Amino acid sequence: MLKKKVALLMGSDSDFPSLKGCIKILKDFGVDFELHIISAHRTPRKAAEFSENAIKNGFSVIIAAAGKAAHLAGVIAAHTILPVIGIPIKSSTLDGLDALLSTVQMPKGVPVATVAIDGGENAALLAIQILAISDSDLAKKLTVYKETMANEINKKDLELQREVEQIWKMKGNNSMKKMEQIYEGKAKKVFKTDDLQLFIVDYKDDATAFNGEKKGTIEGKGIINNKVTNHLMKMLELKGIPTHFVKELSERETLVKKVKIIPIEVIVRNIAAGSLSKRLGIPEGTKMKSTVLEFCYKDDALGDPMINDYHIFAMDLATKQELELIADYSFKINKYLSEYLKDLQIELIDFKLEYGKTDDGEIILADEISPDTCRFWDSVTKEKLDKDRFRRDLGNVEGAYQEIMKRLLGK
Ligand code: C5P
């Protein structure tokens, strides 16, 4: 396909350093462009000629950068019907305000789309957006660019949340009163608080497998699972998944919203492993054609038997609408977690989720997301970095949990 050309004009070679960002973006998007020095005042005839012949020469958009009494964009716009984008360049005397006003204050009938002072990047993006109207490849690249930018902001927001939390901790503002224990599970205890809508979860180092048949301790597991779960829940919240997470109170304790746990364990599988491999004879590590969603009835005495949606409705565990929401959240969580972990060289093989219902009837993600409840494999070595090391006596159990925390939290 013939690439559409952008003309990037500058009033003086001294403007060039301010245009590096603009050039980089045009290059990154693979947009063909020409760069010229043309001055509205010093080479007025050349400016008029260039503009008059721009369409004939295959240009679709013109970007004109100039400083001081910046007339270049206006003069170019006067001689063509192509869209003209003006970049006011900052100069030593008036900080670019002179160029901004000269570029932006065009008389009626001759528009110049003026970007910020030294806003070369935006000029390039605007030019690309204009070209993308009739170029689907460019449009796709713009979508990816916007998504990447959003992800970076989300990452920064997460870091900010962590810092704010640290400040809270330093202030000792953890005044929530821990009251009587209401539940003790295999890996966690849950306590009431003096706020009727909040519970405190306390993570233990105890480890069990095969429905309690194998018992042991993984030193430091409670701390790691607490931190890893909170880190991932915060990330999911930012992506729009409602969770029970409120605030990390200490190394092992987290304040969560009070919910009534829905007794369905939701298992999401991307790669065959564990009980699925055993049940269906699919070798462990086989990438399946699509993601598998399984439901188990959460009942230790029965060994958490697998159930389907008919059982769920018949046993009144959830309504059709609620189950659809749970499935939708679970697939989204799988997408967000898989993408996030991939960057940390972790493959998300499978995992288990639990949901709860608030007093208002809202369904939110509860329980934990940790090496206890997920299968994490190193993407390159395929080394297991999860509870399978404990279940299968593979050794270095603590090391695997620490490795996950290090990759996720950097410590
Ligand atoms: O054992 P199975 O292959 O069915 O486990 C699938 C996934 O769900 C694994 O990541 C496992 O850690 C998790 N799981 C869990 N708690 C259960 C059952 C499974 O965390 N009760």
Side-chain angles (χ1 to χ4, degrees), residues 295-313:
F295 302 117
C296 293
Y297 179 44
K298 190 173 153 62
D299 187 314
D300 283 343
L302 298 172
D304 302 332
M306 193 187 286
I307 50 176
N308 63 28
D309 41 358
Y310 289 98
H311 297 104
I312 291 172
F313 306 143

Side-chain angles (χ1 to χ4, degrees), residues 9-273:
L9 312 179
M10 53 188 149
S12 158
D13 60 339
S14 64
D15 299 327
F16 184 64
S18 306
L19 294 181
K20 286 192 176 151
C22 178
I23 292 169
K24 182 173 182 318
I25 288 189
L26 291 172
K27 276 192 177 160
D28 286 352
F29 277 82
V31 171
D32 203 12
F33 64 95
E34 278 184 25
L35 187 64
H36 294 287
I37 301 171
I38 294 181
S39 164
H41 308 117
R42 294 172 187 141
T43 61
R45 212 154 277 144
K46 192 175 164 194
E49 271 167 23
F50 185 92
S51 183
E52 276 162 6
N53 294 318
I55 294 177
K56 201 174 71 194
N57 288 331
F59 293 108
S60 299
V61 185
I62 302 176
I63 301 174
K68 299 189 173 173
H71 295 139
L72 182 62
V75 165
I76 293 291
H79 291 278
T80 183
I81 56 162
L82 287 179
V84 176
I85 302 168
I87 312 175
I89 300 289
K90 189 171 172 173
S91 62
S92 51
T93 41
L94 290 168
D95 265 352
L97 190 60
D98 44 356
L100 172 65
L101 297 177
S102 308
T103 309
V104 79
Q105 288 288 53
M106 287 297 292
K108 191 155 71 183
V110 189
V112 166
T114 307
V115 294
I117 297 168
D118 283 351
E121 287 89 348
N122 269 1
L125 286 169
L126 183 54
I128 293 162
Q129 284 174 332
I130 293 169
L131 299 178
I133 293 168
S134 57
D135 185 332
S136 59
D137 285 347
L138 268 188
K140 271 183 218 148
K141 284 185 191 170
L142 276 170
T143 307
V144 172
Y145 178 86
K146 277 197 181 279
E147 279 171 1
T148 310
M149 191 164 56
N151 286 341
E152 276 165 17
I153 299 293
N154 285 341
K155 257 190 210 164
K156 283 184 186 153
D157 187 52
L158 261 182
E159 281 161 20
L160 181 73
Q161 300 308 324
R162 251 180 261 149
E163 272 177 39
V164 171
E165 233 171 77
Q166 278 307 111
I167 294 167
W168 273 93
K169 272 185 198 160
M170 278 184 325
K171 281 189 175 168
N173 201 331
N174 291 329
S175 57
M176 193 58 59
K177 205 162 161 207
K178 196 172 177 180
M179 296 174 55
E180 81 254 30
Q181 183 179 313
I182 50 161
Y183 167 83
E184 176 158 10
K186 285 174 272 190
K188 296 181 289 285
K189 293 177 187 170
V190 181
F191 296 84
K192 278 188 178 172
T193 69
D194 50 356
D195 184 326
L196 285 177
Q197 293 309 317
L198 298 173
F199 285 164
I200 290 173
V201 180
D202 195 333
Y203 285 76
K204 305 191 288 183
D205 284 350
D206 298 351
T208 60
F210 314 118
N211 206 27
E213 270 173 45
K214 183 179 163 94
K215 286 195 173 77
T217 304
I218 302 172
E219 212 176 304
K221 174 175 83 88
I223 297 173
I224 293 173
N225 285 0
N226 185 33
K227 288 181 190 289
V228 166
T229 296
N230 294 342
H231 179 74
L232 294 176
M233 290 231 178
K234 278 191 266 182
M235 189 267 279
L236 292 173
E237 280 279 354
L238 287 174
K239 298 270 190 187
I241 306 287
T243 78
H244 72 168
F245 175 79
V246 177
K247 186 175 162 199
E248 192 169 297
L249 297 177
S250 71
E251 282 199 314
R252 289 174 186 272
E253 295 166 306
T254 291
L255 195 62
V256 296
K257 288 181 195 155
K258 182 187 115 182
V259 290
K260 196 166 180 299
I261 292 287
I262 298 170
I264 303 171
E265 294 191 342
V266 181
I267 300 191
V268 185
R269 301 180 185 269
N270 298 308
I271 307 273

Side-chain angles (χ1 to χ4, degrees), residues 265 267 269 274-275 304 350-352 372-375 391:
E265 294 191 342
I267 300 191
R269 301 180 185 269
S275 70
D304 302 332
D350 57 29
F351 58 101
K352 181 215 51 164
D372 267 14
T373 61
C374 304
R375 283 197 171 91
R391 292 187 191 103

Side-chain angles (χ1 to χ4, degrees), residues 278-392:
K278 215 166 161 187
R279 195 167 3 104
L280 302 178
I282 305 173
E284 198 158 87
T286 308
K287 169 109 188 77
M288 295 185 288
K289 220 169 167 192
S290 55
T291 301
V292 172
L293 196 68
E294 291 172 355
F295 302 117
C296 293
Y297 179 44
K298 190 173 153 62
D299 187 314
D300 283 343
L302 298 172
D304 302 332
M306 193 187 286
I307 50 176
N308 63 28
D309 41 358
Y310 289 98
H311 297 104
I312 291 172
F313 306 143
M315 294 165 75
D316 202 18
L317 304 180
T319 65
K320 188 166 183 292
Q321 217 182 5
E322 285 170 345
L323 196 63
E324 273 169 9
L325 185 66
I326 287 173
D328 180 51
Y329 283 157
S330 303
F331 280 117
K332 283 186 178 142
I333 292 169
N334 183 40
K335 177 176 178 286
Y336 301 144
L337 286 182
S338 298
E339 281 170 2
Y340 175 72
L341 294 167
K342 197 173 164 203
D343 287 346
L344 306 172
Q345 269 198 38
I346 300 168
E347 204 171 350
L348 183 60
I349 306 300
D350 57 29
F351 58 101
K352 181 215 51 164
L353 299 170
E354 289 182 27
Y355 294 86
K357 219 185 222 184
T358 64
D359 282 353
D360 301 337
E362 193 196 359
I363 292 185
I364 61 177
L365 181 66
D367 196 51
E368 61 180 286
I369 311 172
S370 70
D372 267 14
T373 61
C374 304
R375 283 197 171 91
F376 296 134
W377 291 3
D378 182 283
S379 321
V380 179
T381 64
K382 307 292 171 193
E383 188 191 357
K384 292 178 174 51
L385 298 170
D386 55 61
K387 199 173 160 188
D388 271 351
R389 300 205 75 82
F390 169 79
R391 292 187 191 103
R392 303 179 188 188

